[in-house]
Amino acid sequence: MMKAVSEQPNFRIGTGLDVHRLAPGREMRIAGLHFPEEDHGPDGHSDGDVVLHAICDALLSAADLGDLGSNFGSSQPEWAGAASDRLLTETLSRVRQGGFEVVNVSCQLIGNRPRFGPRREEAATRIREVHGIDVSLSATTTDGLGLTGRGEGLAAIATALLSR
């Protein structure tokens, strides 16, 4: 039997995952930052920013609002080529309209490039300032394994904690 809304917990956790292959001629945008030294970037319906996409997915999941594809999918032409900052702004609006506030978000970038570590704090600060959410970012590689290890793509996984 489903609990009434007033009986549901005050906290909700969501997980998000995003993966994009890298393609020549695409800009490398990760966590809202541009990496102009890269000659390949994430291929996708929007700008392919795996970090911001994973964060959106985690937020939507925690609020029980579906996922990135059901909210901003390739069947929706208004999101074609969209900056992922726009997706995150809209996601946060939907989450707040659902009666939730973001407690914090943690996201890890998985891939060999770009070299994210030197810009990690810049990215976190930017997300905090632009979107007003508490976020912590990290990065790792897969030691040469899989599409991220071969440099064919990037992935990110995020966890979001919301309060009612």
Side-chain angles (χ1 to χ4, degrees):
M1 183 169 153
M2 183 140 170
K3 291 182 180 181
V5 173
S6 63
E7 297 174 11
Q8 291 182 356
N10 289 329
F11 293 99
R12 302 279 306 249
I13 297 172
T15 303
L17 172 71
D18 196 56
V19 180
H20 285 279
R21 71 181 171 98
L22 296 176
R26 296 275 301 191
E27 283 191 352
M28 178 67 79
R29 292 206 171 271
I30 301 296
L33 301 180
H34 181 230
F35 290 80
E37 67 279 8
E38 295 292 336
D39 61 354
H40 286 62
D43 193 15
H45 180 58
S46 66
D47 64 9
D49 185 329
V50 295
V51 167
L52 295 186
H53 288 190
I55 290 171
C56 288
D57 223 11
L59 292 166
L60 292 165
S61 172
D64 196 21
L65 294 173
D67 56 32
L68 196 66
S70 65
N71 281 270
F72 309 107
S74 57
S75 65
Q76 300 173 36
E78 65 271 25
W79 300 108
S84 293
D85 275 318
R86 188 171 152 224
L87 300 179
L88 183 51
T89 297
E90 180 60 24
T91 295
L92 288 165
S93 175
R94 293 176 187 192
V95 165
R96 289 175 177 137
Q97 286 173 6
F100 296 99
E101 286 300 319
V102 177
V103 176
N104 74 319
V105 178
S106 176
C107 186
Q108 185 171 61
L109 173 66
I110 306 162
N112 294 337
R113 61 186 219 201
R115 299 295 301 162
F116 188 68
R119 298 187 70 189
R120 181 188 63 79
E121 191 51 44
E122 175 189 0
T125 298
R126 183 187 176 284
I127 292 170
R128 286 182 201 114
E129 290 175 355
V130 171
H131 297 288
I133 60 173
D134 183 21
V135 64
S136 36
L137 302 175
S138 62
T140 192
T141 67
T142 56
D143 293 327
L145 299 174
L147 69 96
T148 60
R150 291 187 302 270
E152 298 169 4
L154 291 172
I157 187 165
T159 303
L161 177 62
L162 303 182
S163 66
R164 205 175 286 285

